[in-house]
Every structure is written in C-alpha cells, then in structure tokens.
C-alpha cells in the first residue's frame, strides 16, 4: 500500500529559527514529510563538474549552455541568476551547517526528509533555462543529485523546475532549438526543421483566419481538436510539444537511475509536475511520468502565475492578432482550449484582478479549478505512481480561505492522490514564523 504523505516545503533557516514549528505541524496537520530546499555547500569534486568556466561565469559561457530560440538567440539576456550561482540552479552562498541542523531537527520530529534540488529552468521571470540536451549540463545535474542523495542523511530528492519556463506562452514555448536539441530531436524520431516550418504555418493561419470562426468554435462548445481542424494544423505543431516532453523525460531517466545506483532503489527520486491543463506547454507528459520519477507532485499552489497568467497572455496574444475580438470572446477560446469553459471564469481581463492579493480565490472559481486539475492529473498519471499535490496552505504568497484549503485537501484524497505537500501553513496553523533571511 502506498504511504500517505503530508509534507511541507521549507528553507533550512526557517526550520532552524523555528525549532517547534515542525512538531506543531506534525501534531496538528499530520505532517510526516519535510521537503527541505537545498541551500548547502557542494564538495569540490562536484563543483569541478560545473559547466561554468569559473565563478562568476563569463557571459559567453552562460550563453553557450542556455536554451535557444528558433532564431538561434539565447533564451535570455538577463544573467543575474547565473552570476549568483556556482552551477545551474545552485546558489553560490551555501551554508552546510544550517542544512545539517535542519535535517537533525526534522529527524528529531520523526519526519521523512527529501532534499529539493533544481533543474533546467532556473528563473521563470527572466526565462533562464539551461539546455537539456547539452552533455555538460546533464553531467552537472547527475553530479549534484548523486551528491545530495549520498552526502546527507535524507530519504529522497524532490527536483523542481524540471521543465520549460512556466510563462510557456509565448517565450518559453519556443525553446530549445539549438544544434544539440536538433540532434536530440532526431534521436527521438523528430525533425526539427519540419516542426519549425509547421509552427510557422500554424501562426500564419491563425493570423489569416476570420476571427468570427474562432469565436463560433468556442460558442458551439467544441474542443481542442476542432481548433486543429480549423487551423489546418500540420503534424509538426503537435510533434513540437511531444518532442519537448519526450526530451525532458529521456533526460530525467538517467538522472533517476544514477541516483538509485548511488543511494539504493529505496531512495526516492522525483520531480513536481506542471498543472495538468497546461502541462504539455511546459514539457510535462503525465502519462510517462512513471518512467522518470518515483512520484508526482501536481503544482496547485501558484494559481496566479501558472494558469491565470497563461490564460491572460494567451488571450492578449489572440487580441493582438485579431483586434475585432472582444476580451470575453478571446478568453472563451482560451477557456475552451484549457477545459475551463464550463466554470464561472472571468468575462474580461480586468476581472482577473491579477495584481490584487486575493485574485487567486476572489475572482476565479479556485476550488473548482483545482479539483479539475487534480482529477486530470490523477487520470493522466500511471495508476501506480504516488501523487502528492502541492497546496497553498497560507502565505505563499497570499493566504487562501481556510475553508477552501480544507476542501482542496479533502478533494486531493477523494480523487485518489496519496497526500499533499504544503507551501505555507499560516491559514491552517496559528504559528508566526520568525523572519527568514
């Protein structure tokens, strides 16, 4: 029988500065898992595997290992994140003493412990993504993960950002097309040039099509395949999404194998999963997740920057192409494509109130949306893989109503998930955390 896990994400400093917090969560919420965000110091042997040419790395070195757009330009020209790192997704200012102290406190509380590491997308807002096809990046992640699995007294690794950038429309949706990814595509049975040509064709068709026809499809409650018919969609468009998901799966498999070989088959290795309604846009194929991960963690906690922002920018894109559309019509097309069209969604962009602290629950049907995404995730995932949805428990970044959180927790279990992992608990537990540095 699969173990039920109730977990929380915390930084080591939060654990160390609040030593009674984990026991409180254990006693009040049934907490039995700590996912500890790794902020430690890597060994010199691991640091020698970094794809960086020094610290800080040179701009030319950064560009050489980043993902590329179709035109060959790097995914970003903002290098703040890399310049603060010793290697992809590992901060330069590690504190191993604090990490080990936090692990001991969690052990004292009787908790299972997973360390959280990072993968290819290091910063979403700046669209910083390290190319998943480059051997030096893969070598780095293997060295980091096997070190984390063996150098600390922990039970598992939880890898985050093992995906393409979350703002997957429009910038992150067209990464990566570098020569290394072109070779990866061929090895996986895809033709990079054909995919690019078919994407260009689809964009041209979308520009040229009568906007009324787009609206009619949404009005008649048809589905995504009807849009494919309407746009005369060529195979390369779907192949592009399939290729990116197959690429990430194929790169995670040897990383999991390396960790299991180093730490044993009982050691847990896995990665969180993008919200099911948009997962293919970020390179996540839930149906194959059991091949590369020992568990799934469907992300439900960042509703504002995942589904809400994706819907907003998608509608804005349609409005730019077809100014005669109303915002309501553009949004209806987006809702239809995502599968949210039967919910009481905002009628225009202003109704999202995206910059307001309570936008996640006051302006959208939060519980219904998350129930739908949890249902999709459980249906898409292989039946035997454990799944722990990531739930906003308060303060990350804003508190949801307690009744909504409790309903989402109950829904997760009722839909066949095996527990859940909290981001914050301030809406559920009366405990004031000391300020984290």
């Amino acid at each position: 029988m699969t173990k039920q896990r109730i977990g929380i994400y915390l930084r080591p400093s939060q654990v160390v500065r609040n030593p009674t917090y984990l026991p409180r969560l254990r006693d009040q919420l049934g907490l039995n898992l700590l996912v500890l965000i790794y902020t430690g110091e890597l060994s010199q042997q691991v640091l020698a595997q970094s794809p960086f040419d020094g610290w800080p790395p040179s701009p030319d070195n950064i560009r050489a290992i980043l993902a590329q757009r179709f035109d060959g330009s790097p995914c970003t020209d903002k290098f703040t994140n890399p310049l603060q790192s010793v290697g992809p997704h590992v901060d330069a200012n590690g504190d191993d003493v604090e990490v080990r102290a936090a692990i001991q406190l969690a052990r004292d509380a009787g908790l299972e412990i997973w360390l959280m590491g990072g993968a290819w997308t290091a910063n979403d807002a700046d669209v910083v993504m390290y190319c998943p096809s480059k051997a030096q990046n893969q070598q780095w992640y293997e060295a980091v993960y096997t070190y984390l699995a063996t150098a600390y007294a922990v039970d598992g690794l939880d890898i985050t950002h093992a995906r393409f950038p979350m703002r997957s429309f429009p910038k992150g949706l067209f990464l990566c097309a570098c020569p290394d990814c072109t070779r990866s595509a061929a090895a996986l049975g895809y033709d990079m040039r054909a995919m690019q040509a078919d994407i260009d064709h689809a964009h041209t068709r979308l520009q040229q099509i009568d906007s009324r026809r787009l609206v009619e499809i949404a009005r008649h409650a048809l589905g995504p395949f009807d849009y494919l018919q309407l746009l005369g969609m060529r195979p390369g468009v779907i192949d592009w999404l399939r290729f990116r998901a197959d690429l990430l799966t194929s790169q995670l498999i040897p990383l999991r194998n390396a960790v299991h070989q180093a730490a044993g088959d009982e050691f847990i290795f896995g990665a969180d999963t993008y919200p099911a309604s948009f997962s293919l846009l970020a390179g996540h194929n839930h149906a194959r997740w059991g091949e590369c991960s020992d568990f799934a963690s469907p992300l439900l906690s960042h509703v504002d920057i995942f589904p809400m922002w994706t819907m907003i920018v998608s509608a804005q894109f349609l409005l730019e192409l077809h100014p005669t559309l109303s915002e309501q019509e553009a949004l209806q097309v987006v809702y239809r494509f995502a599968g949210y069209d039967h919910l009481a969604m905002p009628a225009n962009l202003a109704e999202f109130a995206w910059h307001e602290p309570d936008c996640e629950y006051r302006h959208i049907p939060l519980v219904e949306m998350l129930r739908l995404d949890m249902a999709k995730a459980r249906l898409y995932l292989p039946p035997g893989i454990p799944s722990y949805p990531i739930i906003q428990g308060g303060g990350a970044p804003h508190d949801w109503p307690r009744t909504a959180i409790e309903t989402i927790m109950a829904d997760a279990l009722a839909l066949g998930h095996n527990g859940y992992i909290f981001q914050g608990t301030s809406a559920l537990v009366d405990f004031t955390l000391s300020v984290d540095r």
Side-chain angles (χ1 to χ4, degrees), residues 26-48:
R26 178 197 61 202
D27 296 341
Q28 293 191 349
L29 298 179
L31 190 83
N32 59 9
L33 168 67
L34 170 64
V35 184
L36 189 66
I37 300 168
Y38 183 71
T39 59
E41 303 169 69
L42 299 174
S43 70
Q44 289 302 312
Q45 184 177 5
V46 176
L47 290 173

Side-chain angles (χ1 to χ4, degrees), residues 389-412:
I390 301 168
I391 294 174
Q392 161 63 268
H398 310 295
D399 284 0
W400 293 351
R402 182 182 181 119
T403 54
I405 298 169
E406 290 175 339
T407 299
I408 293 164
M409 292 160 59
D411 284 345

Side-chain angles (χ1 to χ4, degrees), residues 253-275:
I253 289 171
L255 296 176
R256 181 175 74 162
N257 291 343
V259 167
H260 282 170
Q261 184 175 0
D265 290 338
E266 297 301 313
F267 192 87
I268 301 295
F269 176 91
D272 54 39
T273 47
Y274 206 72

Side-chain angles (χ1 to χ4, degrees), residues 286-307:
H286 285 72
R288 295 193 62 190
W289 212 242
E291 299 175 37
C292 62
S293 182
D294 297 330
F295 65 89
S297 291
L299 279 156
L300 307 178
S301 51
H302 298 299
V303 173
D304 56 344
I305 54 177
F306 285 169

